[in-house]
Amino acid sequence: MILVSACLLGQRVRYDGRHCLREDVRELLAGEPVLALCPEVLGGLGTPRPPARFVGACFGREGLDLLGGQARLVDDTGRDVSRAFARGARVVAGLCRQNGVRLAFLKDRSPSCGWDPQGVNPQGGPGQGVLAALLQQMGVTVREVRSSARGQV
Ligand code: SF4
């Protein structure tokens, strides 16, 4: 089973109510058993929702810092949404464990799904989203998908 960020397959679950369909990802996964999930929606956050940013986290370990209580996620209204992000990531991680997921395609620049520990994405974003941190701990191979690029999967 392969996990993929739901927005990459066309589900309108992004903070702005839009999707970021990657046709090449959809084609790559055609015929494969896939779990297409959005941790933020599963954590109880609505769509659309204000964007959120890490506060107090070290680059490259933002997700771990949040899960360990050393950092927070705060949305543009000033609301602390750390618990919702952590809850959603744990729900997705649990489903991955139940379904034997070993590979995940996650959207870049997301505080949940982002995975860019070397900081090489020219558009920036966190080095480690909350879900990405949990999947790494589980030994799942995470591949970042740049939503603004083509042919990089
Ligand atoms: S990047 Fe992840 S958290 Fe953000 S909308 Fe897509 S699936 Fe949901």
Side-chain angles (χ1 to χ4, degrees), residues 2 17 60 89 102 144:
I2 299 170
R102 306 305 307 157
E144 178 202 45

Side-chain angles (χ1 to χ4, degrees), residues 116 119-124 146:
D116 180 27
V120 297
N121 190 326
Q123 297 204 72
R146 292 186 187 171

